[in-house]
Amino acid sequence: MKGVVKSVNWLAAAVLVVAVGMAWLQPIHFFGNPDWASPVVQLAMVLGLLVMTMAGRQVLKQLSSRQYRWLLIGLVGLIAIVQMLIATSFVDVARADPFFVRQQALLLARGSHHWQHYFMIYPNNVNFTLLVANLFKPLMKLTQTPWVLLNVIRFIWIDTGLISGLYLLNRWRYWQPGAVSFSLLWLVSVPVAAFGLFAYTDALVLPLLPDSLALLTLGLSLTGWRRWGVLIGDGLLVAVGVVMKTNLIVLWLTLVLMGIILWWQRQFSGRQMLGWLVSLVMTLGVMFAVMRTAQQQAGYTRQADAALPATSWIAMSLNPQSSGEYRHDDFARVNQMPTAAAKRQQTQQIIQQRLHQMGVTGTLVHLLKKMRVFWATGDFDSFKLTTQWIRAPRWYLNHQRQLQFWLVLMTQTIYLTMLVQAIVTLMKRREWAVTFVALAILGLTAFHVGLWEVEGRYALPLLPGLMLLSIVGGRELPVWHLNRVMRRQLTWLVVVLAAISVVSLWQTSQATRITDVVRGNQGNGRYVVSTVQKIGPGHAVTTPLAVSGKSNVLRLKPVATHGRVTITLTKGAHVVKRWRGSANELTTLNYPLTAAGNLRLAIKNIGQTPVRYGVMAANYSPLTGRVTAKRHAYLQVVIKQQFIKPHALTTGAASLAVVGCVALATILALGRLRPETE
């Protein structure tokens, strides 16, 4: 069994080695990702961070227990403050799948048993919708804008992963400096902050790996009924994750395999291992039965002919044009089939056709591309989650691309550093807890790279595990004791790398020119089920628009319509501009540069036939977030500022400041890595 454990750990390490190469040299450049710095800059940043973490560990080890405890308390308090500020400052409108979940949950919370057709197509989101609806019921008694409270609840749940991680580091006897290091990673983690605002299943599954591992660790330290109470609770927790998000079956299987490994290591007797496996099966069965009953009580009836078959995700995963990511045309090809049998037949034909076209070599190349999507970005798709906000600071809205450039550079640097140190842990440690994380890495990678549709955010459950492996791996790295000559030489190397990085960042800035910036957006109503509003002859609709900065371009979404309309854009009592013509021609509308503020858009049908526009139909306002008793329609619209002269991605001063701070911190860290006798 030692050989098996070693093989599992080394195989997981090999996966992470490939991930390091892809994250460094081939980050994703499509599907809405922000801009990337060059690999040279990324390498310099990672080397600097490794030096800083090495020096930081030495400083933390030298603190007294009292000093360390107060530092940790302050850091955890800072996490709570920062998360509270984020939760109250940013409120997501919810788009695509989260929009349907939110809209349906609002209806259920008000007592409606009518289900949107979306849930006939995607029954996998029904359970999570029921959970959200049950959260809405008490919250809506307190306020008609419950979104900030939901943000807070999500952050509290996510932070169970922080608590579990601290518990595990204490049990692993790496409390100092591990606890502060883990808390610091949690504080600066962009995915933790981003998914705390994302109204979907990802926040639910993010902390499950450390939570499950902590419960298993606690259970093994107990005896009798206490042990079995904790272990059954662990199985129940993972079962909840499985019924909410299908890919968490990987974590459930990890628990099954860990039971066998623990039996082999004599931490379980044969009878205990059997009891553990039976409890896992029973808790999973109980959760499926409970959710099936809850669905029936909520009035949900599955329609087999409308639901997408599981093979549709496999077919989509084999699309070489999208590297296995979601494609609407793939969805449409299957969804248009009238029966369940026809849908299955269509997906089987797509699968066979694509495997035949790619061949063995092409399939292997495709799997590598899927691997790249899954592992290459350390933000785990944080910047793809939403383009619409009910509430967000204006400074963020007006400088999103510039801010994201620096946040991505920071996040990718931390991510690469974590991967490097995690590889060390997997290669050197043989504890069962390390193998637990290794099995999860292999399982999720095999599931999404080898079988299922892939996105970067599907790797999110592995993030806390990577953090823990990274911190343990830092302890395994040799401690540098550099003499004065070596420190001077490395200082000059830092200066040279800093100069190269500044030049490279300047080149990236000049090569990436920003020609426009989005000032407002309402894009819901065109995903899976298109929503349109008909405007009859002589009738009009109006929509308020929140614009975060100066704007001069407006884009509308008329739907296959040729009627004549008058479109009027006003700000207060002032008419900014009025257009008149065919609806399908008045899609991109230019107007004089107008300051930030609230605008109003009116569309009047002046023709003889109805006109149709894409809208979002919802029981909450995308502008104020207020829940409404009746469903209202909000036009699909994008508001931009088109620049006469393109802007640079960032400034030379910003590049110099960022690189200078990193270089200075690295040089100071080198100064700490001196021999004890010096």
Side-chain angles (χ1 to χ4, degrees):
M1 182 57 74
K2 288 183 178 180
V4 173
V5 168
K6 181 179 179 180
S7 298
V8 169
N9 290 4
W10 277 58
L11 188 57
V15 169
L16 296 191
V17 168
V18 176
V20 167
M22 290 177 169
W24 176 35
L25 298 174
Q26 289 189 318
I28 302 300
H29 286 277
F30 55 87
F31 202 56
N33 279 72
D35 310 279
W36 294 95
S38 71
V40 173
V41 175
Q42 200 67 77
L43 177 62
M45 293 289 178
V46 170
L47 292 175
L49 185 56
L50 284 170
V51 171
M52 284 185 268
T53 55
M54 194 177 299
R57 281 193 296 270
Q58 290 194 10
V59 172
L60 291 174
K61 287 179 181 179
Q62 293 169 0
L63 296 178
S64 67
S65 297
R66 188 168 183 270
Q67 290 172 324
Y68 186 80
R69 183 170 61 252
W70 280 109
L71 177 61
L72 180 61
I73 291 172
L75 195 54
V76 171
L78 183 60
I79 290 172
I81 292 170
V82 169
Q83 289 182 349
M84 186 61 66
L85 288 173
I86 293 172
T88 54
S89 300
F90 293 85
V91 176
D92 179 18
V93 169
R95 69 175 182 88
D97 299 293
F99 166 72
F100 286 102
V101 169
R102 178 176 289 183
Q103 172 62 18
Q104 186 64 49
L106 286 172
L107 296 176
L108 294 173
R110 290 179 177 271
S112 172
H113 283 186
H114 172 73
W115 286 80
Q116 302 170 87
H117 184 65
Y118 164 89
F119 292 95
M120 305 303 121
I121 300 172
Y122 288 121
N124 55 299
N125 281 328
V126 171
N127 291 338
F128 182 67
T129 303
L130 293 172
L131 174 64
V132 176
N134 281 287
L135 286 174
F136 276 151
K137 290 177 181 178
L139 292 180
M140 288 173 60
K141 293 178 181 178
L142 301 174
T143 176
Q144 291 302 299
T145 53
W147 319 119
V148 169
L149 292 176
L150 284 169
N151 284 349
V152 172
I153 290 171
R154 273 192 296 273
F155 274 118
I156 291 172
W157 171 251
I158 287 173
D159 285 342
T160 62
L162 171 64
I163 296 169
S164 296
L166 294 176
Y167 168 78
L168 289 167
L169 289 167
N170 186 44
R171 290 299 304 267
W172 296 343
R173 293 187 173 88
Y174 196 49
W175 182 254
Q176 186 171 350
V180 165
S181 301
F182 186 70
S183 300
L184 189 59
L185 275 177
W186 205 263
L187 173 64
V188 301
S189 174
V190 169
V192 168
F195 284 94
L197 302 171
F198 188 46
Y200 201 40
T201 52
D202 303 270
L204 180 70
V205 304
L206 195 160
L208 286 188
L209 190 150
D211 287 353
S212 176
L213 181 55
L215 287 172
L216 184 55
T217 302
L218 175 61
L220 291 176
S221 69
L222 302 173
T223 57
W225 65 268
R226 291 184 180 85
R227 164 181 276 207
W228 285 106
V230 172
L231 292 180
I232 291 173
D234 189 8
L236 192 61
L237 176 70
V238 174
V240 170
V242 174
V243 298
M244 295 296 166
K245 197 169 184 70
T246 309
N247 67 350
L248 262 292
I249 192 64
V250 168
L251 187 56
W252 186 85
L253 291 172
T254 297
L255 288 178
V256 171
L257 294 174
M258 285 311 306
I260 298 172
I261 291 173
L262 291 170
W263 166 70
W264 192 274
Q265 294 180 348
R266 301 182 185 280
Q267 298 195 55
F268 273 160
S269 66
R271 182 179 298 178
Q272 287 173 332
M273 181 195 69
L274 182 62
W276 168 246
L277 298 180
V278 169
S279 72
L280 288 176
V281 174
M282 289 185 64
T283 50
L284 187 61
V286 166
M287 279 311 307
F288 274 111
V290 168
M291 295 313 301
R292 192 176 301 113
T293 301
Q295 291 177 14
Q296 293 172 352
Q297 292 176 347
Y300 179 78
T301 302
R302 183 168 181 149
Q303 297 180 5
D305 287 338
L308 289 182
T311 48
S312 67
W313 279 275
I314 299 174
M316 194 178 297
S317 76
L318 291 171
N319 191 329
Q321 296 179 349
S322 65
S323 297
E325 292 195 88
Y326 172 85
R327 286 273 299 218
H328 178 75
D329 53 351
D330 278 345
F331 159 78
R333 285 178 65 183
V334 178
N335 189 52
Q336 68 183 354
M337 296 293 107
T339 66
K343 285 180 168 64
R344 286 194 297 271
Q345 184 178 4
Q346 177 76 306
T347 57
Q348 289 169 3
Q349 289 176 354
I350 294 172
I351 292 169
Q352 292 171 2
Q353 180 185 31
R354 287 177 175 170
L355 287 174
H356 177 72
Q357 287 177 346
M358 289 190 293
V360 176
T361 303
T363 301
L364 291 175
V365 171
H366 178 66
L367 293 178
L368 282 174
K369 290 181 178 179
K370 290 182 68 179
M371 181 84 168
R372 179 188 173 204
V373 173
F374 192 69
W375 278 110
T377 52
D379 59 60
F380 297 89
D381 288 347
S382 295
F383 301 112
K384 297 179 188 176
L385 303 180
T386 186
T387 55
Q388 301 172 226
W389 299 97
I390 292 172
R391 180 191 304 173
R394 186 168 289 184
W395 56 263
Y396 174 80
L397 293 175
N398 290 334
H399 301 91
Q400 286 187 66
R401 192 163 177 184
Q402 293 89 339
L403 291 168
Q404 287 178 9
F405 173 70
W406 294 112
L407 287 174
V408 164
L409 179 59
M410 178 193 78
T411 300
Q412 200 74 352
T413 299
I414 295 171
Y415 178 59
L416 280 164
T417 305
M418 285 197 307
L419 289 178
V420 169
Q421 296 189 151
I423 291 168
V424 174
T425 301
L426 290 168
M427 295 182 69
K428 290 193 173 185
R429 309 292 295 216
R430 298 291 176 266
E431 293 88 349
W432 67 264
V434 173
T435 305
F436 181 98
V437 181
L439 286 170
I441 290 171
L442 293 174
L444 269 180
T445 302
F447 185 81
H448 283 292
V449 175
L451 180 66
W452 216 247
E453 173 223 355
V454 65
E455 289 185 28
R457 65 186 178 89
Y458 293 159
L460 184 68
L462 300 175
L463 175 60
L466 292 175
M467 289 180 177
L468 289 169
L469 291 182
S470 172
I471 289 165
V472 174
R475 179 169 58 178
E476 300 296 326
L477 292 175
V479 179
W480 290 0
H481 296 290
L482 307 174
N483 58 39
R484 189 171 301 169
V485 174
M486 184 64 72
R487 291 200 304 273
R488 186 182 300 114
Q489 292 173 341
L490 289 176
T491 298
W492 279 110
L493 177 61
V494 170
V495 171
V496 171
L497 288 175
I500 294 172
S501 297
V502 170
V503 172
S504 178
L505 288 170
W506 178 82
Q507 290 175 335
T508 300
S509 175
Q510 296 305 306
T512 306
R513 312 298 288 182
I514 300 174
T515 58
D516 58 48
V517 61
V518 175
R519 302 299 192 189
N521 182 28
Q522 197 304 95
N524 279 325
R526 58 190 179 193
Y527 173 72
V528 179
V529 181
S530 296
T531 309
V532 299
Q533 182 173 14
K534 183 171 68 174
I535 308 173
H539 290 78
V541 297
T542 61
T543 292
L545 306 173
V547 185
S548 63
K550 294 179 180 180
S551 64
N552 56 10
V553 177
L554 179 71
R555 290 182 180 172
L556 295 172
K557 298 290 181 181
V559 180
T561 184
H562 299 278
R564 290 181 60 79
V565 295
T566 295
I567 301 174
T568 306
L569 184 66
T570 59
K571 184 175 184 183
H574 171 64
V575 176
V576 177
K577 192 168 181 179
R578 183 176 284 114
W579 301 264
R580 186 176 285 110
S582 175
N584 65 337
E585 294 177 354
L586 297 177
T587 55
T588 301
L589 309 175
N590 297 292
Y591 55 90
L593 192 64
T594 303
N598 294 322
L599 305 179
R600 183 167 291 274
L601 179 69
I603 302 177
K604 183 176 181 179
N605 185 347
I606 59 174
Q608 303 301 313
T609 58
V611 295
R612 293 174 175 82
Y613 280 85
V615 296
M616 160 191 172
N619 286 79
Y620 68 96
S621 167
L623 298 178
T624 66
R626 186 170 184 81
V627 176
T628 56
K630 295 182 179 180
R631 187 178 302 188
H632 295 280
Y634 304 90
L635 285 170
Q636 294 172 11
V637 60
V638 178
I639 306 152
K640 293 185 176 184
Q641 180 183 0
Q642 192 86 33
F643 298 125
I644 298 174
K645 182 180 179 181
H647 292 190
L649 177 63
T650 186
T651 64
S655 301
L656 186 61
V658 170
V659 174
C661 288
V662 173
L664 179 60
T666 305
I667 291 170
L668 292 175
L670 287 171
R672 301 285 309 184
L673 301 176
R674 62 184 66 192
E676 296 178 0
T677 56
E678 186 175 316

